[in-house]
Amino acid sequence: MSFLEPISEEFCEGNVIKGRRLAKIIRAEIKEEVARLTELHGYPPKLVTVLVGDDPGSAMYVRMKHKACNKVGIASESHNLPADTSQEELLSLIYRLNKDVTVHGILVQLPLPRHIDEETIISAIDPNKDVDGFSPRNIYRLFYGGEMLSSATPQGIATILDSLNVNLTGKHAVIINRSTIVGKPLIMLLLNRNMTVTVCHSKTKDLASFTRQADVLITAIGRRKSEDDPYFITADMVKEGAIVIDVATPLGDVDFENVRCKASYITPVPGGVGPMTITMLLKNVLAAYSFDAAQTNVFTMDAISFGGYLT
Ligand code: GUN
């Protein structure tokens, strides 16, 4: 697969990055690779999701992941457990899935109920099946430059940037988000691309003084500023010619229509980063399966991961 080739004409409309189009291009490549490897090995890649409780938002995300798997030929199975499932019960399911040779990817949907310790659960997942990239070993791999099983949303952002025909080296990226799932892994992915990275968050003073310096501005605040003045990122906060990536859902952080006039590229909400996230999950399942099928051990996985294979 060749996700690194710049194909911006195929997925941009003017300066608007159409994430759905890019996702479609990459999913078609994944589908082809899944078919080829399924034929070669005689069995398909398989993702198992685990959902604890009945949060409708989480249930919807999990359904979307299964649907996406199905469309590219990845087998999937769901375990929907009641909200009062104990930590021990959940751990024993994970140990079972770790040992199951027909399972290549394990995804425990977050957040978990309060009585379950997320870190304990995530750490229990076999790192070579951890398609979320949340486990300690995959975070360690990311620190050493390996991106193969890294968090899906940051990978989606990095893939958008890689696919634009721009030189990122030495450019200033400003990230507004410091979460474990988005902001922190994204720092590593952007450093790997030789960018200078600044991270802002809810306690940052004078946010605009940072955003105005950004060649690439990535924002994931995800709430309204106020009723009359909803957007955190307005045109006066953006440098002329910046690339603006809005990760916030379901409503963007960026005053899209006005910022669009200043940006060299901009992602819309919806239809920007969102479709890329599940695509990167599919890519991770395929990567986990490929290595398992090749019967590599953890050391080989690390060696290849550090080389940035498949990114
Ligand atoms: N909850 C919100 N985002 C995610 C994600 O990327 N993975 C998992 N497992 N849970 C989530």
Side-chain angles (χ1 to χ4, degrees), residues 57 71 112 124 128 132 155 207 230 236 243 251 260 282 289:
K71 281 193 169 166
L112 289 167
N128 291 343
D132 266 322
Q155 264 200 79
L207 182 64
D236 59 303
I243 298 174
L251 302 166
R260 183 186 176 173
L282 301 176
Y289 164 79

Side-chain angles (χ1 to χ4, degrees), residues 65 107-111 132 134 152-153 181 277:
K65 290 168 187 177
L107 182 149
V108 177
Q109 187 66 25
L110 304 177
D132 266 322
F134 296 165
T153 299
I181 295 182
T277 296

Side-chain angles (χ1 to χ4, degrees), residues 141-160:
R141 284 168 172 155
L142 186 58
F143 260 68
Y144 278 86
E147 300 182 0
M148 198 177 51
L149 289 184
S150 61
S151 185
T153 299
Q155 264 200 79
I157 296 164
T159 303
I160 288 175

Side-chain angles (χ1 to χ4, degrees), residues 28 40 103 110 139 181 192 197 257 273 278 289:
L40 183 70
V103 175
L110 304 177
I139 289 168
I181 295 182
N192 287 350
V197 183
E257 286 309 328
V273 175
I278 290 187
Y289 164 79

Side-chain angles (χ1 to χ4, degrees), residues 203-222:
K203 302 284 186 285
T204 297
K205 302 248 178 354
D206 193 6
L207 182 64
S209 70
F210 294 99
T211 60
R212 285 191 196 111
Q213 295 177 41
D215 300 306
V216 177
L217 176 62
I218 298 152
T219 178
I221 299 170

